[in-house]
Amino acid sequence: MAKPVKRRTGTADHLASLSELLHDSRTDSARLFEHGLALLVQALGVDRALLTRITGLGHEVFWWSVAPRANMDRIFEAPEKGFCPFVIAHPDRTLTIPDAAREPRWRKSPGHLELGIRAYAGVALKVGDQAVGTLCVQHHAPRPFTRAELALLRTMGHLIARTLESENLKRELQAALDALELSSAIVEDSALLSARSGLPNRRYLDIWLRSTLFMARRRREPMALALWSQPMLPGTKGRLATVMNHLRGEDLLVELSTDQYLLLLPHTSDSGAEVLLSRLRATVGNHPTGATLWLPDGKDMTMKSALRRVAKAFTDANREGSALLWNHG
């Protein structure tokens, strides 16, 4: 998997190797993974060094380096049986196991009994404040780890984590740019505005959500939704235009259907939404309003559940004659 790295001895030489790796990997993250893991195998004299990541299906090995007489037998199939889940559970600590067979906590573990790992050292790879995977070394025989060796492992883990974070940011930026390009390409399309109210319509909402939900998930911030109905009487269109002009930069008011209006308030809690809605009533008047919160927890990626909740809250508000009724699901 990895090309051989020239053997070095001593802490100074290890630091020199890391410096070379960092320089070489600035434009190619794969070089850091490939040569960095090979460096750990040779410098620590272990069977293997590997990177795991957490996916929807559990732990997965996504990069590795193996000593000449070692292999990856059974490691690919069940990395969760190793010690990496313990590292993820305690991401701020380095897990060091000099001999799993002699330690009561580990001697009956599947990592030792099924995968044959006697010695292990691993660190969590954190992107932001979230552990997304591990960097670890494994060996079939007992092996103590010196402070210098663990420092090398931690330093390598830090470099790899920063590289993963950079790659994630690049992908997220590209996705945001793609959504922005799509929005910009059709922003002047008259089909995106309601001739009746002058507000953006549901088609515009669909486009807006592509980039807005992406950023909301990135920032882990809630979004408040409010839905009400009012007839298009003389002066209503002007009052709606006034509301649009006074919304915050990321807020959006759309005509969801005839006489129905949906207000979306990114990074806004229910209490913050209530303040904004009370100000809005001074312009558009008092109308029974339903409200809910969309949370970036991965359970409602397209906001369909939130839209159903706000519609139900709107129905209940009209039935009860309530000025504002929340449905938190």
Side-chain angles (χ1 to χ4, degrees):
M1 179 66 186
K3 297 178 181 179
V5 175
K6 184 178 179 180
R7 183 69 179 266
R8 295 175 182 266
T9 58
T11 302
D13 286 337
H14 292 160
L15 293 176
S17 296
L18 284 172
S19 179
E20 293 173 9
L21 282 171
L22 181 59
H23 181 270
D24 291 342
S25 64
R26 283 175 178 170
T27 57
D28 183 6
S29 58
R31 290 180 63 85
L32 177 61
F33 301 159
E34 182 177 357
H35 296 292
L37 295 182
L39 173 64
L40 288 176
V41 169
Q42 294 186 15
L44 276 62
V46 292
D47 290 338
R48 66 189 72 88
L50 51 97
L51 297 174
T52 73
R53 60 187 170 195
I54 302 174
T55 71
L57 299 177
H59 288 263
E60 174 187 76
V61 177
F62 75 96
W63 213 282
W64 65 94
S65 180
V66 182
R69 296 183 181 179
N71 57 57
M72 290 288 289
D73 290 350
R74 295 175 295 173
I75 302 297
F76 286 120
E77 290 77 6
E80 71 279 357
K81 291 184 177 180
F83 303 104
C84 291
F86 293 94
V87 176
I88 295 296
H90 305 282
D92 297 320
R93 302 200 321 236
T94 301
L95 177 60
T96 307
I97 305 174
D99 186 358
R102 296 178 62 86
E103 298 186 34
R105 183 177 183 182
W106 307 116
R107 63 189 178 194
K108 293 184 180 180
S109 67
H112 170 228
L113 296 179
E114 298 182 33
L115 302 182
I117 303 170
R118 290 282 294 272
Y120 174 97
V123 295
L125 302 175
K126 297 177 69 175
V127 174
D129 59 354
Q130 184 177 9
V132 299
T134 66
L135 165 66
C136 69
V137 295
Q138 304 172 352
H139 198 55
H140 71 281
R143 192 208 185 287
F145 296 96
T146 67
R147 289 185 179 181
E149 289 169 341
L150 293 176
L152 176 64
L153 180 69
R154 285 191 291 267
T155 301
M156 187 71 71
H158 179 78
L159 294 178
I160 290 174
R162 298 290 73 77
T163 300
L164 291 174
E165 186 171 38
S166 176
E167 292 300 313
N168 285 344
L169 288 173
K170 288 177 184 177
R171 286 194 294 270
E172 291 176 356
L173 177 60
Q174 188 58 54
L177 290 174
D178 290 343
L180 180 60
E181 183 178 359
L182 175 63
S183 299
S184 299
I186 59 177
V187 71
E188 296 181 359
D189 187 343
S190 60
L192 298 176
L193 298 178
S194 166
R196 189 165 181 271
S197 66
L199 297 178
N201 58 22
R202 188 153 194 160
R203 183 181 173 193
Y204 183 95
L205 173 63
D206 291 339
I207 298 168
W208 181 84
L209 286 175
R210 296 181 194 179
S211 58
T212 304
L213 293 186
F214 172 84
M215 292 306 298
R217 289 192 295 269
R218 169 68 181 164
R219 295 181 300 199
R220 301 181 183 179
E221 294 176 332
M223 184 185 307
L225 290 78
L227 179 65
W228 74 92
S229 177
Q230 63 182 105
M232 184 57 67
L233 301 174
T236 299
K237 187 173 182 179
R239 286 192 289 272
L240 292 171
T242 299
V243 170
M244 282 287 289
N245 291 334
H246 288 87
L247 292 178
R248 301 171 304 176
E250 295 181 77
D251 299 341
L252 179 67
L253 177 62
V254 300
E255 182 181 333
L256 198 64
S257 61
T258 302
D259 291 341
Q260 273 197 2
Y261 303 96
L262 177 67
L263 179 63
L264 301 103
L265 305 169
H267 53 86
T268 303
S269 65
D270 46 6
S271 58
E274 290 189 8
V275 173
L276 292 171
L277 287 169
S278 65
R279 295 174 183 172
L280 180 146
R281 292 192 195 98
T283 302
V284 298
N286 289 307
H287 307 284
T289 301
T292 192
L293 283 182
W294 173 83
L295 300 174
D297 56 8
K299 297 179 181 178
D300 185 17
M301 302 295 281
T302 60
M303 201 180 270
K304 288 183 179 179
S305 295
L307 290 171
R308 285 196 293 268
R309 286 198 307 275
V310 77
K312 186 178 187 306
F314 167 70
T315 300
D316 294 342
N318 275 277
R319 184 179 64 250
E320 299 176 13
S322 174
L324 180 62
L325 192 149
W326 285 90
N327 182 345
H328 291 288

